[in-house]
């Protein structure tokens, strides 16, 4: 055996001192304490993460449940009965047709009334010359014959005719003594008048008539200067 081997063997067999043992035990205690602290830290971190993950999972589930509930309500509101929709559609169409028919009926009645009134006015206007001739004939009766049977019969027929015209809505237009109105009067001449002021109808040459609110024939007049 060489001297080097002998030295190594003597070092290996050298006993550990008490001081060295104490140092080693302190190091082992610190390592064990540090390992325990790390283990506790890791455990706490894992528990916190697990709790957080669990809370997030619950929140997601609650949010999904709320969304599902909203969707369910929305779908419930949006979902309609096809039969009820068809009934509503038919009812709407019926109401529209009833309203259109009512408007058509009112419009037709109004047009018919206007046409009838126009036709009636046209006929009545053709009777006005007959009335004019009646009045001329009565004025031409001599004074001594006005109380006779013929003149009395003519007066009665004239009054009956005028009563029928009045019942139909035909009334004479007042002219003499009234201020000239171009809507009612047709001025054909100017006359000197001491009785009426300027612009007043002083003479009626042909009587005018109204048919309800419409001029059937304008009065032909002379207006004072």
């Amino acid at each position: 055996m060489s001297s080097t081997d002998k030295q190594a063997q003597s070092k290996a067999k050298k006993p550990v001192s008490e001081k060295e043992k104490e140092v080693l035990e302190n190091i082992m205690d610190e390592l064990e304490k540090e390992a325990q602290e790390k283990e506790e830290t890791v455990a706490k971190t894992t528990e916190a993460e697990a709790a957080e993950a669990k809370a997030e999972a619950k929140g997601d589930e609650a949010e999904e449940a709320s969304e599902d509930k909203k969707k369910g309500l929305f779908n419930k509101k949006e979902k309609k009965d096809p039969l009820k929709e068809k009934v509503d559609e038919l009812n709407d169409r019926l109401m529209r047709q009833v309203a259109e028919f009512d408007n058509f009926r009112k419009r037709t009645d109004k047009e018919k009334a206007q046409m009838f009134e126009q036709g009636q006015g046209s006929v009545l206007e053709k009777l006005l010359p007959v009335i004019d001739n009646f009045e001329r004939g009565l004025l031409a009766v001599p004074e001594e014959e006005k109380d006779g049977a013929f003149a009395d019969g003519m007066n009665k027929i004239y009054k009956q005719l005028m009563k029928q015209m009045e019942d139909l809505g035909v009334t004479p237009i007042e002219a003499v003594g009234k201020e000239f109105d171009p809507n009612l009067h047709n001025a054909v001449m100017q006359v000197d008048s001491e009785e009426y002021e300027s612009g007043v109808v002083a003479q009626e040459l042909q009587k005018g008539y109204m048919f309800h609110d419409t001029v059937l024939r304008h009065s032909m007049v002379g207006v004072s200067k």
Side-chain angles (χ1 to χ4, degrees):
M1 180 180 298
S2 62
S3 60
T4 304
D5 292 336
K6 288 180 178 180
Q7 290 178 358
Q9 188 175 3
S10 64
K11 286 181 181 180
K13 290 180 179 180
K14 184 178 180 180
V16 179
S17 65
E18 292 296 331
K19 189 176 182 180
E20 289 177 350
K21 286 181 180 182
E22 186 179 355
V23 172
L24 289 174
E25 287 177 0
N26 291 336
I27 292 173
M28 292 298 294
D29 291 339
E30 289 179 2
L31 289 175
E32 186 177 354
K33 186 178 180 180
E34 184 177 355
Q36 187 176 359
E37 290 177 354
K38 287 183 179 181
E39 185 177 353
E40 290 176 355
T41 302
V42 171
K44 289 180 180 179
T45 304
T46 304
E47 289 178 0
E49 291 178 352
E52 185 178 356
K54 187 176 181 180
E56 289 180 357
K58 286 184 179 180
D60 293 339
E61 289 177 359
E63 187 175 356
E64 289 178 0
S66 178
E67 291 294 330
D68 292 340
K69 187 176 180 180
K70 289 180 181 179
K71 289 179 180 179
L73 291 174
F74 181 75
N75 293 333
K76 186 176 180 181
K77 290 181 181 178
E78 289 295 326
K79 189 176 181 180
K80 293 182 179 179
D81 186 2
L83 179 60
K84 187 177 183 302
E85 287 185 350
K86 189 65 177 179
V87 171
D88 292 342
E89 181 182 354
L90 292 175
N91 186 53
D92 182 65
R93 289 173 59 185
L94 177 62
M95 295 301 293
R96 289 176 182 272
Q97 289 179 357
V98 169
E100 289 177 1
F101 178 76
D102 187 54
N103 292 334
F104 171 76
R105 181 181 59 78
K106 290 179 180 178
R107 185 171 62 252
T108 303
D109 291 344
K110 185 177 180 180
E111 291 175 354
K112 286 170 63 177
Q114 290 176 346
M115 291 176 63
F116 179 77
E117 188 172 334
Q118 289 175 358
Q120 189 179 16
S122 178
V123 173
L124 293 173
E125 186 178 3
K126 291 179 181 179
L127 291 176
L128 297 182
V130 178
I131 296 173
D132 294 340
N133 290 331
F134 249 111
E135 292 175 346
R136 292 190 188 100
L138 291 173
L139 290 174
V141 176
E143 190 68 29
E144 63 275 9
E145 296 181 6
K146 286 185 178 180
D147 294 332
F150 177 77
D152 184 59
M154 291 288 290
N155 268 312
K156 288 181 178 179
I157 295 172
Y158 172 73
K159 289 179 180 179
Q160 183 181 8
L161 177 60
M162 294 305 295
K163 179 65 170 59
Q164 292 298 322
M165 295 290 282
E166 184 178 353
D167 291 342
L168 292 172
V170 178
T171 54
I173 296 174
E174 295 183 9
V176 178
K178 299 294 182 181
E179 186 176 355
F180 174 73
D181 185 353
N183 296 316
L184 303 175
H185 309 134
N186 180 22
V188 295
M189 57 187 296
Q190 285 186 322
V191 296
D192 295 325
S193 176
E194 297 179 357
E195 185 179 359
Y196 300 108
E197 298 179 355
S198 176
V200 177
V201 176
Q203 186 178 1
E204 184 179 56
L205 306 176
Q206 187 181 55
K207 189 178 291 185
Y209 292 90
M210 295 286 294
F211 178 50
H212 298 300
D213 296 329
T214 305
V215 176
L216 193 61
R217 185 178 73 182
H218 290 77
S219 298
M220 188 179 297
V221 298
V223 183
S224 62
K225 293 182 181 179

